Amino acid sequence: MGTSTTAGPPDAVKLLPVIDPDRLRADLAAVEKHFLVHANPTADHAERAEDEQTGWDVLVLRCPGGDLDKIGRNAGGLADFADTAYLELTPYVREILDGMNVPIRGVRFSSLAAGAEVQEHTDSPYGLPVGWVRLHIPVETSDDAVLIINGADQRWKPGEFWYANFGLPHSLYNRGSAARVHLIIDCYVAPGLFELFPSDVRARIADDDVMLFREEFGLPEQLRTVRGTIRMPAAFLKPHPELPTAAEWNGGEDTEGELRVQDDRLVLRLGEHETALAHIGDGEFRPLCWTHEQTMVLDTADATPRVVFRYRRGSQVIETSREQPALAG
């Protein structure tokens, strides 16, 4: 990274690693019959017939818990990202991931059938300022399969490795005669990521515009008995495409949840959904499977515990706090 005031990297950047397209195609061939409809698997996980295209399909190699039965069903919760059984069948993908020197989140093959398209949308919160990015490696494609990012056509070739800012408006279409397949790698932002960028692009990325990943630490002894009701600002439970104002972060009607300790982690329960919290030091916790964009800091030293709720984007931080009279431990 650099200290330049130039506003970040381009919308799309070809990265330095050179990929062997034939080895990647061999990995795809080993698993392609297992594709499922993108983000909407069937209840019984029925596999599609060989060569059948359903539009936008996905083959998941890494996901929360490595559990294929939970894909598209609010997965995550209590389990961190892990390999699925399909990653064992794709040794070259494993070699690529191991060579990146970056903490990996999700990995999948994504297939867009001939004649299919995906309407314009944005992925948010997303990007260097919130601590994770999406990388693409084309496997099967043609000049008639086009990704449009922020109004610019992208025609990437097999064997290329690409970063793009998918927090910008983007869409894709495939007017070719065969499916367009990419390997998609979601990773946290860490120093090793920037080693993949050309040097001139690295110089355009200011330190203040980046959120580096913070690993998990064990649960502190003084928090191993925490339990009870926790009061949270409404904004803490929502996604934020941009940095919220202090008023937005503190405003709205508070929400209550339940905290407990399970398997050396704090667990937050909201209604029927549970989320494990990873300790990142000094009593501060981020949601498991996420960055420290939104965190809570527990202070149980006084008679009435207090929790500080923080939001970060790059180096910018806002926070608010709540006393927690119903929280014990």
Side-chain angles (χ1 to χ4, degrees):
M1 293 181 290
T3 57
S4 170
T5 58
T6 304
D11 296 345
V13 179
K14 184 179 176 182
L15 303 178
L16 297 176
V18 176
I19 306 301
D20 185 332
D22 293 330
R23 292 183 66 190
L24 201 51
R25 289 189 190 102
D27 276 8
L28 174 62
V31 295
E32 61 182 346
K33 70 177 181 180
H34 302 290
F35 272 84
L36 297 167
V37 176
H38 181 83
N40 186 27
T42 58
D44 60 358
H45 250 42
E47 296 169 355
R48 65 177 174 85
E50 188 173 358
D51 297 327
E52 177 189 352
Q53 294 296 333
T54 57
W56 195 13
D57 295 348
V58 64
L59 189 286
V60 177
L61 303 176
R62 187 172 169 82
C63 66
D67 189 348
L68 293 165
D69 289 332
K70 292 184 178 179
I71 296 171
R73 296 184 177 87
N74 206 20
L78 304 181
D80 209 345
F81 282 93
D83 302 343
T84 72
Y86 296 138
L87 192 56
E88 297 178 8
L89 304 176
T90 56
Y92 187 51
V93 173
R94 166 56 67 196
E95 184 178 320
I96 293 170
L97 299 178
D98 289 346
M100 289 175 57
N101 191 30
V102 177
I104 304 296
R105 299 181 77 246
V107 182
R108 66 184 185 268
F109 285 112
S110 182
S111 175
L112 187 69
E117 63 181 282
V118 177
Q119 297 298 316
E120 185 175 274
H121 62 285
T122 59
D123 301 330
S124 182
Y126 186 89
L128 298 174
V130 296
W132 73 282
V133 298
R134 178 160 292 163
L135 310 178
H136 277 234
I137 304 175
V139 185
E140 300 282 4
T141 191
S142 72
D143 284 343
D144 294 318
V146 180
L147 172 65
I148 305 170
I149 300 176
N150 206 23
D153 289 2
Q154 306 285 336
R155 290 179 170 85
W156 301 340
K157 309 295 185 184
E160 296 177 345
F161 201 166
W162 284 86
Y163 157 90
N165 182 358
F166 290 98
L168 296 171
H170 59 281
S171 60
L172 56 151
Y173 64 82
N174 182 6
R175 294 174 186 160
S177 59
R180 169 262 206 196
V181 183
H182 282 198
L183 177 68
I184 299 177
I185 301 169
D186 291 343
C187 63
Y188 294 109
V189 177
L193 174 68
F194 301 103
E195 297 174 5
L196 307 178
F197 284 72
S199 58
D200 61 321
V201 175
R202 288 200 299 268
R204 296 179 58 175
I205 303 172
D207 292 349
D208 286 348
D209 294 332
V210 171
M211 182 188 293
L212 292 177
F213 181 63
R214 290 172 63 179
E215 297 282 357
E216 181 178 11
F217 294 90
L219 191 63
E221 186 66 34
Q222 68 271 23
L223 297 178
R224 291 181 179 273
T225 58
V226 167
R227 67 192 183 282
T229 301
I230 181 173
R231 189 163 59 93
M232 298 165 287
F236 184 70
L237 305 175
K238 300 176 181 178
H240 297 276
E242 303 294 339
L243 181 77
T245 66
E248 290 170 339
W249 188 240
N250 190 47
E253 186 175 349
D254 282 359
T255 299
E256 289 189 347
E258 296 294 323
L259 272 185
R260 72 175 192 278
V261 176
Q262 178 177 318
D263 299 327
D264 200 39
R265 287 188 176 119
L266 285 183
V267 173
L268 174 63
R269 182 181 182 89
L270 295 167
E272 297 301 315
H273 184 64
E274 295 183 327
T275 301
L277 304 174
H279 179 230
I280 57 175
D282 298 323
E284 187 170 11
F285 294 82
R286 61 170 171 81
L288 196 64
C289 298
W290 196 245
T291 70
H292 60 288
E293 176 204 17
Q294 296 179 210
T295 66
M296 61 173 67
V297 184
L298 274 67
D299 182 359
T300 59
D302 296 333
T304 300
R306 176 177 292 273
V307 176
V308 176
F309 299 91
R310 289 179 179 157
Y311 184 92
R312 293 180 177 87
R313 186 165 287 256
S315 63
Q316 298 175 285
V317 184
I318 59 171
E319 62 182 44
T320 187
S321 66
R322 299 288 189 276
E323 289 191 343
Q324 305 292 339
L327 196 61

